[in-house]
Amino acid sequence: MNGKIWFHADDFGVTAQQAQKILACHREGVLNSISILPNTPSLGEALEILDKEDPKAEIRRVLHLNFVEGKPLAGADKVPLLVDKEGFFNKSFIRLFLWNITKISTNRNRLKQQIKLEIAAQLRAVTSQYNYRITAIDSHQHYHMIPIVLDSLLEVLSEQEFEHLRIRQIRIPCDPVSPLVHTQGMPKRVPVMNLVKWCILKIYAGRSQVLLKSRGIQSPVFFGIFFTCEMKWEVVKTLLPAYQSYAGRKASELELMFHPGNLTAAYELLDARNKELADFYMSDNRFYEAECLKLLGVNSKDT
């Protein structure tokens, strides 16, 4: 049994203030893993704050590949298929998911080359421009689960420029079902939209697992899709034992995904035009998820 649990925060570093809020979950709770958005204007400041808080890199440092919001680091002119006329990312998960199926031959190759250019640029931001000490990769809204994106990522990681990184883990964000269904009362509490997300992500989960395993890359057992943005104390304390037990049977690490660190105003967003993302970042649930991470810390000390 491995036994390691990653209490993980997505979306680190949108602003310096948000980075501080997330790291409070490390100082006061159990947070021991973060994934940083590489195309935020606050990248340097957020990493400075991180290194001050965690000089020995005891917090697992993950790259949060971003094709969702903000501007591409490769330059909008280099990745026109991924951006709008103002140079902001504008392709939804579903759009890229469908393009993965429908684009063939020249069009597919063009899309893949642009994805690879942007992945390389985002990797450079945290390895060449700054020494983030990256050990793992995931992605904003799980775009890397789309085959053309995952294939592009693995090809970039195989290039001479990045092969020294030795990425140890890449997330497969698809919760196992048995811990949920065997915990009384919990299946009915899964939001319908999160169930839809899980079904979509499940389509290529097996393919992703095979590809990563063939390259010696691990994927911890995951807990976080069924209750995305709902990882509150009552949910987590009820389900965590079942997920721990499942991971133990698989001799695997376990990753819990949280979204602490709320923003307070639309101007802080990477794309202030996006109301959906504004609601996502300013949701009260981010406060509740931060509180859960802190309560888990108090609970572990009591036991």
Side-chain angles (χ1 to χ4, degrees):
M1 176 173 176
N2 188 293
K4 182 69 178 181
I5 303 177
W6 298 112
F7 296 97
H8 179 86
D10 274 4
D11 308 332
F12 182 80
V14 180
T15 68
Q17 293 76 19
Q18 183 244 21
Q20 291 279 21
K21 290 176 183 178
I22 289 175
L23 290 176
C25 300
H26 169 68
R27 290 190 301 274
E28 303 171 28
V30 295
L31 181 77
N32 60 358
S33 177
I34 57 153
S35 50
I36 193 164
L37 288 161
N39 66 327
T40 167
S42 299
L43 178 63
E45 192 174 1
L47 290 180
E48 184 178 342
I49 292 167
L50 174 62
D51 285 338
K52 185 176 181 181
E53 172 76 24
D54 181 40
K56 296 182 180 179
E58 293 174 347
I59 296 173
R60 184 181 66 152
R61 301 182 179 208
V62 184
L63 174 62
H64 207 43
L65 284 174
N66 180 17
F67 297 94
V68 178
E69 58 179 314
K71 294 188 174 183
L73 293 179
D77 60 322
K78 300 289 181 62
V79 291
L81 291 175
L82 304 177
V83 299
D84 62 20
K85 62 183 181 181
E86 296 180 51
F88 287 87
F89 287 124
N90 75 331
K91 300 301 181 293
S92 68
F93 181 99
I94 294 300
R95 174 70 67 85
L96 276 182
F97 183 88
L98 293 174
W99 277 3
N100 172 76
I101 299 169
T102 60
K103 284 193 178 293
I104 59 175
S105 189
T106 302
N107 287 334
R108 183 179 181 82
N109 289 336
R110 183 169 170 241
L111 175 62
K112 189 173 183 181
Q113 287 306 310
Q114 291 184 26
I115 292 171
K116 289 175 66 175
L117 281 173
E118 182 57 22
I119 290 172
Q122 293 190 20
L123 277 167
R124 289 187 196 106
V126 297
T127 59
S128 299
Q129 185 177 355
Y130 299 100
N131 180 19
Y132 177 51
R133 292 177 279 184
I134 179 177
T135 63
I137 294 173
D138 56 34
S139 64
H140 203 18
Q141 298 186 8
H142 316 299
Y143 276 49
H144 73 286
M145 290 296 288
I146 302 169
I148 195 170
V149 179
L150 181 60
D151 293 349
S152 297
L153 171 60
L154 294 176
E155 288 179 22
V156 171
L157 290 174
S158 297
E159 293 175 2
Q160 186 174 1
E161 180 181 359
F162 301 111
E163 61 183 2
H164 70 283
L165 294 178
R166 296 190 179 93
I167 298 300
R168 192 171 78 87
Q169 295 175 332
I170 292 177
R171 172 190 290 173
I172 296 182
C174 200
D175 308 28
V177 174
S178 62
L180 175 72
V181 299
H182 291 116
T183 304
Q184 186 175 5
M186 295 310 294
K188 293 181 180 179
R189 295 181 62 176
V190 176
V192 173
M193 182 56 68
N194 288 347
L195 182 59
V196 172
K197 289 179 185 176
W198 183 91
C199 290
I200 293 171
L201 293 168
K202 183 67 174 175
I203 293 170
Y204 290 120
R207 175 188 188 274
S208 300
Q209 187 75 58
V210 169
L211 282 175
L212 296 180
K213 187 174 181 180
S214 71
R215 289 160 174 78
I217 298 174
Q218 301 172 6
S219 298
V221 169
F222 191 77
F223 170 17
I225 289 297
F226 286 133
F227 290 94
T228 297
C229 298
E230 297 284 345
M231 294 286 279
K232 301 173 183 177
W233 171 242
E234 291 298 322
V235 168
V236 174
K237 77 170 183 177
T238 301
L239 282 170
L240 181 55
Y243 278 94
Q244 282 184 276
S245 178
Y246 182 92
R249 294 195 298 273
K250 299 294 183 180
S252 171
E253 296 181 1
L254 172 65
E255 177 183 357
L256 280 70
M257 180 184 70
F258 294 84
H259 294 87
N262 62 300
L263 302 182
T264 57
Y267 71 81
E268 296 177 309
L269 296 167
L270 297 184
D271 186 351
R273 306 168 304 170
N274 193 318
K275 185 181 184 304
E276 182 179 350
L277 284 171
D279 292 342
F280 171 65
Y281 279 113
M282 292 188 275
S283 169
D284 287 343
N285 283 351
R286 286 184 176 255
F287 171 80
Y288 297 130
E289 293 200 5
E291 287 301 299
C292 178
L293 286 163
K294 295 172 185 178
L295 285 169
L296 286 166
V298 172
N299 188 62
S300 66
K301 292 174 184 175
D302 291 341
T303 55

